[in-house]
Amino acid sequence: MNDSSNKNNHLLLFLCDDCTEDTSFQLTEGIYFIGRHSNNSIRLNSPSVSRHHATLMRRDSANGESIYILIDGDLEGKRSQNGTLVNGKKIIHHSLRDGDLIAFGSNDNQAVYKQEVSDNIIIYPYCDLNSKKSKSESLTSSNLAREKLQDTLIVSELNLKNSLENYDIQRLASFPELSPNPILEFDFSGNIIYCNPSAKLSFEDLLKQTNQENPLIKDLKPVSEENHGELIIREIEIEDKHYEQYIHYLSKENVMRSYIFDITERKNSEAKLKYHALHDSLTGIPNRDFFYWQISKNIQEAKESLLSKFFAVLFIDIDRFKNINDTLSHSIGDKLLEYFTHRLVSVIPSDYFVARWGGDEFILITPLELINHEDSKIKKKTSAQVVAEKIINVLKEPFSIEKYTIFTTCSIGIATYPEDGNDEQHLIKNADIALYRAKQMGRNNYQFYTNTLNKEKTLLFELENSLYNSLENKELFLTYQPQLNLKTNTLEGVEVLLRWQHPVLGVVSPSKFIPLAEETGLIISIGEWVLEMACEEGTRWLDLGYPPIMIAVNVSGKQFQQDNFADKVKEILIKTQFNPEYLEIEITESILMQDSEKTETIIKELSGLGVKFSLDDFGTGYSSLSYLKKFPFNFIKIDKSFVTDLVTNFQDQALVSAIITLAKGYNMKVVAEGVEVETQKKILKNFRCDLIQGWLVSEPLIREDFMDFMASYQQKTIND
């Protein structure tokens, strides 16, 4: 039904040289199909236009206003061959605004969308822009006649659809000439022997067809005495219209009587609902449900095909998307998702299937071409690799959203069918595992699934579950690695290192469980426990008569940025009675970058108590000199990566020497990590490095062994 209640008239003005007469069309219906095929609501007979090129869909709001949404392709998710552009940009799903310039396939098929307040608009419910007939001929008197017939409705269409009993049919047959719905009778040969006025108006051209190809009679089963009185209900499609047809077999009268009802509006509404059910409302691409349907279809076709059909599933995740939502707002994040989708679609062929999985995750099905190589895996991987590289490369250019210039990257996990799974669940799971690996490898890359990754993922899952109870089960413990003063050759400090004794897996590497603790948030409670145990141990050593030494404790970014971090440190110092002068808190440069003002406040507050601070892993990050000037650090720690090749690598020597000189200028002490041989120690001593730490001095020791180590150094100092 036409909706004349809209406050604005929605117009589509086509800009083409070949159009005859007026080419402005008022949009009133809920849905329009645009394309080259004759059954489209708006037909564009151009080589650059696809058969079903685009769809216009009306969305009504509660206040009575309406907008039209332009969708590239049909409602089944099949996109056009040459694309649909709005204001020069390729779209998938676009809410039209007044003045939008639309190009269907090429600039030869352009239209302008307008919103006007006017009552004098000619309405064209169907238009063929390339027809030789004028537009006035396109709008035939049949439309008006049908509207008049509708006013004389005697038997309602709704009642007829709900339940057509024999009695109803007999009753209807008594006034066929007055019925607003088409009624026809066919003989057994398919010849039309009767049609009421409505049928003549509705199917003028079809009434001239007398063969079995006439859609009104096509595929009907032959009439026989056995099916006398039988009523068959079916749906038929004629051009852009959908009909429900009731066929009553009257074999004794040698007649098939047909009652026909226009259900186009209902079918269009169903298609609209189906589209919304299977497509993402923000980006316009298929959603997760649609993806599950498509991948099941791909797998079924591959299993039934005699030829080998391979494809890959690419799981795509926008890196650090949460930071954009948190810092710039969710509306900017939504815009980024839309623009990201456009970029993604622009680099993949139209026959590839892409869907939004949810949040900042997307998923892609890509057919795998057989590249000439002996190893079939390399064939498939090379093909999928090309797609992944295109996606990563297209993100190198920043996004301009409102007043922001946003650089972003993505990580991709790839699983191939059938090697990595022969059903949808395994393929998706394994692509997700590969995605996790890509993030572990530093993001902005792609990784293929391997069986090893699955084992690692399973292990990480087990570790994460076990980590929750590790503190309660007393599985965590501390080790201590001494720091040697190169000038006095005395023990001056110790770094506290966390270890985990898993009841089944044994000692778990910190590189495995620390990231898990960070992700789950357990690092806060674990970090507080480490700090308290370290201070408690330092107090015990002093009570036992050992000389005071600096105790260095690593603090994570999440723990440091807690609002109560400074208060927590004070609480632990009071509880353990540990002298803050001997507590050293190690932080990395990444912490300084998160909230520099908050970091400065915390450092100054705790420094006022006597707590020392060291900048860990200096040289591996941005190494901004402004941090050294702004924050009152007491120590700089040179990362072991610069010490490992110190003997042979002159560049490392120059860098280490420069760091030490710089630190001296700021009155800071330097600690070199990872010292393992005497030659490294000698070079560092010549560079005037203050402290060294590494296996040359001692491996990390458990509490009892470290106490013995302190005792031996204390005795050595006495003897010297």
Side-chain angles (χ1 to χ4, degrees), residues 183-231:
I183 302 174
L184 301 96
E185 290 184 351
F186 300 88
D187 63 20
F188 293 168
S189 300
N191 300 309
I192 299 172
I193 58 176
Y194 169 77
C195 59
N196 71 347
S198 179
K200 291 177 182 178
L201 290 173
S202 301
F203 308 117
E204 182 180 357
D205 294 334
L206 289 179
L207 296 181
K208 299 173 185 177
Q209 296 183 23
T210 57
N211 54 41
Q212 294 292 329
E213 291 303 311
N214 189 322
L216 296 171
I217 197 170
K218 185 179 179 181
D219 299 327
L220 287 178
K221 64 181 181 179
V223 181
S224 65
E225 290 193 8
E226 285 75 18
N227 57 17
H228 175 70
E230 183 179 358
L231 180 66

Side-chain angles (χ1 to χ4, degrees), residues 313-319 340 344 362 364 384-385 387-393 395 410-415 431-439 443-449:
V313 173
L314 280 69
F315 222 132
I316 307 164
D317 182 88
I318 302 176
D319 296 329
F340 177 89
L344 181 62
F362 297 78
L364 173 66
Q385 180 180 342
V387 178
E389 287 176 352
K390 281 184 179 180
I391 294 171
I392 289 173
N393 289 333
L395 295 179
C410 73
S411 302
I412 303 174
I414 306 171
D432 190 33
I433 290 173
L435 172 63
Y436 183 83
R437 179 61 171 171
K439 288 188 170 294
R443 298 181 171 85
N444 194 28
N445 70 96
Y446 58 87
Q447 296 292 324
F448 285 89
Y449 171 80

Side-chain angles (χ1 to χ4, degrees), residues 676-694:
E676 297 180 354
V677 295
E678 280 289 342
T679 47
Q680 293 171 338
K681 175 184 175 183
K682 185 177 179 181
I683 292 171
L684 289 166
K685 189 173 183 179
N686 290 337
F687 288 162
R688 296 173 58 222
C689 179
D690 299 290
L691 304 170
I692 61 170
Q693 175 183 336

Side-chain angles (χ1 to χ4, degrees), residues 556-563 591 594-595 598-599 602:
S556 75
K558 280 192 175 180
Q559 183 183 358
F560 192 86
Q561 292 298 333
Q562 293 294 301
D563 292 335
I591 293 177
Q594 291 178 21
D595 188 340
K598 184 176 182 180
T599 300
I602 294 172

Side-chain angles (χ1 to χ4, degrees), residues 481-616:
Q481 189 164 37
Q483 296 174 341
L484 182 70
N485 187 310
L486 286 177
K487 187 175 181 179
T488 63
N489 202 36
T490 57
L491 181 64
E492 186 168 313
V494 62
E495 181 178 5
V496 177
L497 302 170
L498 179 64
R499 297 291 183 265
W500 181 15
Q501 180 71 46
H502 192 279
V504 177
L505 302 172
V507 178
V508 181
S509 169
S511 63
K512 292 285 186 186
F513 73 85
I514 293 295
L516 283 177
E518 290 271 6
E519 289 178 19
T520 57
L522 289 171
I523 194 68
I524 296 172
S525 57
I526 291 175
E528 291 174 359
W529 177 84
V530 171
L531 186 59
E532 183 173 337
M533 290 300 101
C535 292
E536 189 177 288
E537 199 62 42
T539 301
R540 183 182 295 111
W541 294 338
L542 290 172
D543 292 343
L544 292 173
Y546 291 100
I549 58 173
M550 294 298 304
I551 297 180
V553 179
N554 288 279
V555 173
S556 75
K558 280 192 175 180
Q559 183 183 358
F560 192 86
Q561 292 298 333
Q562 293 294 301
D563 292 335
N564 65 342
F565 176 73
D567 293 335
K568 202 70 183 177
V569 173
K570 293 176 187 177
E571 180 185 318
I572 289 172
L573 289 170
I574 294 171
K575 181 180 179 181
T576 60
Q577 295 296 301
F578 185 65
N579 188 343
E581 294 284 343
Y582 297 108
L583 175 62
E584 176 187 335
I585 293 178
E586 293 187 9
I587 60 175
T588 60
E589 194 173 359
S590 61
I591 293 177
L592 305 179
M593 297 175 63
Q594 291 178 21
D595 188 340
S596 60
E597 291 184 7
K598 184 176 182 180
T599 300
E600 185 178 10
T601 301
I602 294 172
I603 291 178
K604 285 184 177 179
E605 183 177 353
L606 293 178
S607 294
L609 299 176
V611 176
K612 307 297 187 294
F613 283 86
S614 65
L615 184 57
D616 198 11

